Amino acid sequence: MKTLLQFSFKRRFLNKMTLFLQIIFILVISIMFYFDKISELLNLEFNRPIPIYIEPNLRKLIVNEAEWKNKGFEFTTNKESITISYSKDVYTITLVDDLMTQSKIYDLLLDNHQKRKESSSNSSVYRWLEDYRSIDVDFLEYKYEDNQFKHQIIILFLTSIYFMLLNFIAVNSNEIIMEKTSHMIPIILTHVKIKTHFISKLIIGFASVLFQIISSIGIVGLIGYSRYQLDKGEGLIRLLVKFLPFKLDSFNLDDILKLLDLSMNDLVQVSIGLVFILIGIFIIQILILILSSKVKTMEEAASIQGPFYLVLLIIYYLALSLNTTQSLSSNLGLTLSYIPIFSMLIMPMRLLTQHVMPIEIMISILFSFALISLIFIIMYPIYCEGLREEG
Amino acid sequence: MLEIQNISKNYGKKKALQSCHLIANKHDIIGILGQNGCGKSTLFKSVMGLIEVDSGTILYNHKQCDFNQRKKFGYMPEQRSLFLDLTLYDQLKFLAQLKGILDDRFDRLVDLYIERFDLKDKKYTVLNKLSKGQQQKVQLIASLIHNPDVLILDEPLNGLDFYSVQLVMNELRIQASLGKIILISSHQMDFMDELCTHLLVLDNGHTIKNGKLSGLYQEYGVCVSVNADSLWHNISKLHKNILEKGSMIEFHYANLLEAKKALGNFCKEPTITTLKLHNVSIGDMLKEGE
């Protein structure tokens, strides 16, 4: 029993891949706990206050300015930033494009309102209490309401593709592991050069990703069309509106398409976004393929994909947390949109929320290709060695 | 001609091969022998380019052996190397296609070999449904299917029954007669005796014997074997080199002349019913080497 336990423990936990996973985990957790320090060190301006314009009549009424600062806002005179106006006991807020900021502003306005109420006297306690409890805030006047919906739909589309493709990053790795465990590698390497083997794996990996995208879009299109023919998807849209964070007044696919109002520019942006996702997936495929060549046991094979899924999940959450015009314009957002792998989601989001110069797109793609070249130069010998070890 | 010139390979501190030298010509069947871990597989992998040697060169037809040259080599590794979820036909087809063999030619070749190896009814059987010996034969066919000029076979007789061993040996003799060079390792010495024309014996990476089997036979003398239940003691009181081998007793002589003299005496003993003049077996050569 003891021997069995020791044997299993050693094989499961003292293998290179599990150690690699642990290193990645330690790294990620360390970054999380020291993010403020790292952000300061790298001058990422992640903590840069969000500029907010408060109209003079309301500005006079703000008594909790310190609270606003603590929550990351900075009062400005620039009307292009978030603006809050106040008229007839209704606060109107424009240019807030994420729910979290909306919620923070609401809380701060309510806090301000309550502080003011606390210092004022009122004849009717009942009326005072009623006033005290709530405020009227109007978030409906988005300057870019239509864009917001379009933006959300495109982000939904891109992130769906991102997750769909995550399944495929492991295909190559599984194939290599299968070839290694069946001892076919020596036989195959007497038939083809290692470089041919490597490139064919990359091609087939990338081709399966493309096939998956095309077939999925085809299937979605076909089934969507059949539903459109049936009743223009009316019942479905009504159901979806209940669960999805969209505000819609129309409930059939015709109206949705009109609302989306997809232009050629939107399609170009989505296509560029897809290119970034594909490049990111390609880089991850190369890395996972090379690491798979070093796998020697089934236990190692089981842990090889872990670090990649962890990193990809972090990229996803990072992209979601940065999915506001302000965050994406911060140094962190800008920097990550150039860093390969991170750029696979951050750059598409930047493309959708702000004007990105073509040169920025080119530079970001160039960085990714530079990383691919670097991986080829530095890590290809590791692949050769990994396969030859089996040979 | 395949020339292995003083190749050496170390795995860390372990010296797997030390200055190994071998020349193999057409029609040669070279037995690579030695204990487990003596460097046989390392030698094969070096020839196949699966590992890089630390020093020395491998030439084929007087040219440095590269990937294109090795396309003419067929390799069968010691381990079971098959996609066990494929059928026999699909597995062979995959490897044949990698070698660029066209479908028509492949179909003809596969039919020929599965018939020779008694696997005709298994053509479309999934490999994991085959016995270990049958899988071994499939691997051998895989190494032959592209009609290689050089065959590198690491323990091809493992797991084969006597009948299958005979099939394999016959095939290898046919291949050698066609001008192929065959390098084969095996621990089944009796079969190596019957099959090989040359021998390379390794010990901890060092070459301890290398040459034509006929030359080695001369070096090790000649044997006469008689049935053990005979009154052979009366005749061979003076013999020192006597080996008991089951139902036979084997007498070793330095040369053929001595053996012939002894043979005359053995012929006179009426209790001797079985009498055989033969070379020293490879197994005994190795024992003497120790």
Side-chain angles (χ1 to χ4, degrees):
Chain A
M1 171 94 164
K2 190 184 164 193
T3 312
L4 271 177
L5 289 172
Q6 276 177 341
F7 180 76
S8 293
F9 183 84
K10 208 173 167 184
R11 282 180 71 87
R12 284 183 198 192
F13 298 106
L14 296 180
N15 66 63
K16 280 181 197 168
M17 290 304 153
T18 307
L19 292 175
F20 178 61
L21 173 66
Q22 289 305 319
I23 290 167
I24 295 280
F25 187 69
I26 290 166
L27 212 65
V28 167
I29 299 298
S30 306
I31 290 172
M32 276 170 62
F33 275 90
Y34 288 90
F35 191 71
D36 56 327
K37 305 283 176 203
I38 295 166
S39 169
E40 264 174 42
L41 201 71
L42 300 175
N43 193 25
L44 293 176
E45 293 181 18
F46 198 65
N47 293 328
R48 189 180 67 173
I50 299 168
I52 193 163
Y53 174 77
I54 296 179
E55 286 194 342
N57 64 328
L58 176 62
R59 182 76 177 84
K60 281 182 223 159
L61 303 176
I62 297 290
V63 291
N64 62 344
E65 198 168 332
E67 292 295 317
W68 287 80
K69 277 187 184 169
N70 289 342
K71 294 261 179 175
F73 292 101
E74 179 186 54
F75 295 143
T76 170
T77 50
N78 181 6
K79 282 193 178 179
E80 286 303 307
S81 54
I82 300 168
T83 63
I84 306 175
S85 57
Y86 180 64
S87 169
K88 293 176 186 170
D89 288 339
V90 176
Y91 299 88
T92 308
I93 302 165
T94 59
L95 258 179
V96 181
D97 58 358
D98 74 306
L99 291 171
M100 203 183 286
T101 313
Q102 283 181 14
S103 156
K104 274 187 197 171
I105 292 175
Y106 179 87
D107 289 346
L108 286 163
L109 287 173
L110 183 65
D111 176 65
N112 185 63
H113 173 76
Q114 289 174 343
K115 279 189 174 141
R116 279 179 48 234
K117 281 281 165 195
E118 281 160 14
S119 58
S120 71
S121 58
N122 202 307
S123 52
S124 158
V125 174
Y126 176 76
R127 178 101 187 262
W128 187 90
L129 266 175
E130 201 175 62
D131 269 0
Y132 182 84
R133 278 183 195 143
S134 64
I135 50 170
D136 285 335
V137 179
D138 196 352
F139 287 108
L140 294 178
E141 288 183 25
Y142 294 94
K143 278 186 184 172
Y144 303 108
E145 194 180 350
D146 291 347
N147 277 357
Q148 186 73 13
F149 174 66
K150 190 192 292 184
H151 176 180
Q152 283 173 329
I153 290 286
I154 295 174
I155 292 290
L156 196 72
F157 171 73
L158 289 177
T159 47
S160 303
I161 291 211
Y162 175 79
F163 273 106
M164 193 175 74
L165 296 187
L166 291 192
N167 286 328
F168 273 78
I169 62 162
V171 173
N172 273 343
S173 140
N174 292 342
E175 214 168 87
I176 291 276
I177 290 162
M178 193 261 286
E179 284 175 6
K180 288 196 90 172
T181 50
S182 61
H183 305 294
M184 276 303 285
I185 288 284
I187 297 288
I188 292 171
L189 293 188
T190 59
H191 289 65
V192 294
K193 289 179 181 171
I194 294 185
K195 196 172 268 180
T196 312
H197 186 263
F198 181 65
I199 291 170
S200 70
K201 292 289 170 213
L202 289 183
I203 291 173
I204 192 66
F206 197 64
S208 16
V209 162
L210 283 179
F211 174 78
Q212 176 76 354
I213 292 177
I214 293 165
S215 67
S216 301
I217 290 174
I219 291 165
V220 169
L222 205 69
I223 297 172
Y225 183 72
S226 76
R227 184 60 208 256
Y228 177 81
Q229 289 295 320
L230 185 72
D231 61 356
K232 295 190 176 176
E234 200 151 327
L236 179 72
I237 307 286
R238 278 182 195 281
L239 195 70
L240 283 178
V241 166
K242 281 186 186 174
F243 299 107
L244 294 176
F246 302 140
K247 286 169 184 168
L248 290 175
D249 299 322
S250 43
F251 297 103
N252 67 50
L253 285 169
D254 261 345
D255 295 334
I256 297 282
L257 286 173
K258 271 180 207 158
L259 195 63
L260 270 175
D261 189 27
L262 286 172
S263 63
M264 187 48 81
N265 187 43
D266 295 324
L267 292 178
V268 169
Q269 282 181 347
V270 171
S271 306
I272 296 173
L274 268 179
V275 168
F276 272 95
I277 291 179
L278 287 175
I279 292 174
I281 293 284
F282 185 61
I283 294 173
I284 289 162
Q285 275 190 330
I286 302 174
L287 287 172
I288 207 165
L289 181 68
I290 289 169
L291 284 174
S292 304
S293 72
K294 298 295 282 180
V295 165
K296 284 179 185 149
T297 64
M298 290 310 284
E299 286 84 354
E300 282 189 332
S303 17
I304 192 167
Q305 287 144 20
F308 290 94
Y309 284 122
L310 189 65
V311 168
L312 290 169
L313 209 62
I314 286 165
I315 292 173
Y316 173 71
Y317 284 119
L318 197 65
L320 283 190
S321 72
L322 287 173
N323 188 21
T324 64
T325 313
Q326 287 86 4
S327 304
L328 286 169
S329 309
S330 69
N331 274 0
L332 180 71
L334 288 175
T335 310
L336 289 179
S337 70
Y338 295 121
I339 296 176
I341 300 178
F342 285 94
S343 64
M344 67 196 288
L345 271 188
I346 309 288
M347 185 54 100
M349 284 180 171
R350 271 193 67 201
L351 281 165
L352 295 171
T353 54
Q354 54 192 246
H355 177 69
V356 181
M357 305 264 282
I359 186 78
E360 290 184 84
I361 297 170
M362 295 297 290
I363 289 172
S364 182
I365 290 178
L366 210 67
F367 280 157
S368 291
F369 279 105
L371 180 69
I372 291 172
S373 311
L374 213 65
I375 292 170
F376 268 95
I377 295 164
I378 296 171
M379 296 188 81
Y380 176 66
I382 297 174
Y383 182 79
C384 295
E385 191 188 303
L387 290 200
R388 282 207 173 111
E389 275 171 13
E390 174 59 27
Chain B
M1 184 168 73
L2 178 72
E3 286 176 78
I4 297 167
Q5 296 180 340
N6 299 315
I7 60 166
S8 298
K9 174 72 187 174
N10 297 336
Y11 294 114
K13 285 180 184 172
K14 186 183 170 1
K15 293 176 177 176
L17 265 185
Q18 290 299 298
S19 298
C20 183
H21 190 86
L22 178 73
I23 294 176
N25 290 299
K26 282 183 176 182
H27 308 287
D28 286 351
I29 301 178
I30 300 179
I32 314 291
L33 305 177
Q35 294 171 348
N36 294 329
C38 68
K40 300 185 294 280
S41 296
T42 302
L43 173 65
F44 288 159
K45 287 174 187 171
S46 306
V47 175
M48 291 309 298
L50 293 169
I51 51 174
E52 281 177 16
V53 293
D54 297 333
S55 62
T57 49
I58 298 166
L59 304 176
Y60 181 63
N61 289 340
H62 311 291
K63 286 179 191 164
Q64 185 82 31
C65 220
D66 58 12
F67 182 79
N68 287 328
Q69 298 259 29
R70 288 187 178 105
K71 278 183 180 172
K72 297 168 199 158
F73 294 9
Y75 175 54
M76 177 179 170
E78 184 185 0
Q79 289 162 312
R80 183 75 65 251
S81 306
L82 297 165
F83 288 128
L84 293 175
D85 55 331
L86 295 184
T87 63
L88 181 156
Y89 179 82
D90 289 338
Q91 170 72 84
L92 293 176
K93 190 166 189 176
F94 167 65
L95 295 171
Q97 282 176 337
L98 285 180
K99 286 282 187 192
I101 298 171
L102 298 175
D103 285 358
D104 285 353
R105 190 171 157 231
F106 167 74
D107 283 335
R108 269 185 282 117
L109 285 168
V110 82
D111 287 340
L112 172 80
Y113 283 117
I114 59 172
E115 183 150 10
R116 280 192 195 172
F117 284 102
D118 199 20
L119 292 168
K120 205 171 180 182
D121 56 335
K122 308 289 181 194
K123 189 173 176 181
Y124 299 108
T125 306
V126 176
L127 291 172
N128 61 17
K129 303 267 187 227
L130 298 183
S131 70
K132 193 183 170 195
Q134 287 169 328
Q135 290 175 1
Q136 188 82 345
K137 286 192 271 185
V138 175
Q139 265 191 267
L140 187 59
I141 297 173
S143 66
L144 289 167
I145 200 88
H146 60 289
N147 193 25
D149 293 338
V150 179
L151 269 169
I152 313 284
L153 309 171
D154 201 351
E155 311 276 357
L157 306 178
N158 271 4
L160 296 183
D161 57 53
F162 178 79
Y163 172 68
S164 298
V165 168
Q166 296 307 318
L167 283 180
V168 171
M169 292 210 306
N170 280 342
E171 183 56 40
L172 296 181
R173 285 190 194 106
I174 293 169
Q175 294 294 328
S177 70
L178 294 170
K180 313 281 170 75
I181 296 169
I182 300 172
L183 268 60
I184 178 173
S185 73
S186 177
H187 294 291
Q188 288 162 276
M189 298 303 167
D190 294 348
F191 299 126
M192 296 298 268
D193 262 335
E194 292 176 39
L195 190 66
C196 297
T197 58
H198 292 68
L199 217 58
L200 174 79
V201 184
L202 296 170
D203 183 32
N204 283 326
H206 293 278
T207 306
I208 53 170
K209 280 181 187 48
N210 184 3
K212 267 193 166 183
L213 205 52
S214 54
L216 290 170
Y217 282 146
Q218 280 182 9
E219 191 184 315
Y220 282 85
V222 186
C223 299
V224 174
S225 293
V226 300
N227 51 314
D229 56 357
S230 62
L231 297 173
W232 55 271
H233 293 278
N234 298 337
I235 304 161
S236 59
K237 279 172 189 163
L238 300 174
H239 279 108
K240 285 178 185 171
N241 287 331
I242 301 171
L243 279 176
E244 287 188 41
K245 289 191 170 178
S247 64
M248 302 293 280
I249 297 294
E250 195 175 278
F251 300 89
H252 284 212
Y253 300 96
N255 53 53
L256 190 61
L257 199 67
E258 280 185 26
K260 278 180 179 171
K261 276 184 195 167
L263 205 60
N265 293 331
F266 286 126
C267 286
K268 289 171 193 165
E269 173 54 52
T271 57
I272 291 176
T273 53
T274 310
L275 188 60
K276 197 165 80 176
L277 178 70
H278 59 94
N279 292 311
V280 175
S281 72
I282 293 174
D284 290 338
M285 280 186 205
L286 293 184
K287 276 183 206 161
E288 281 190 35
E290 286 168 10

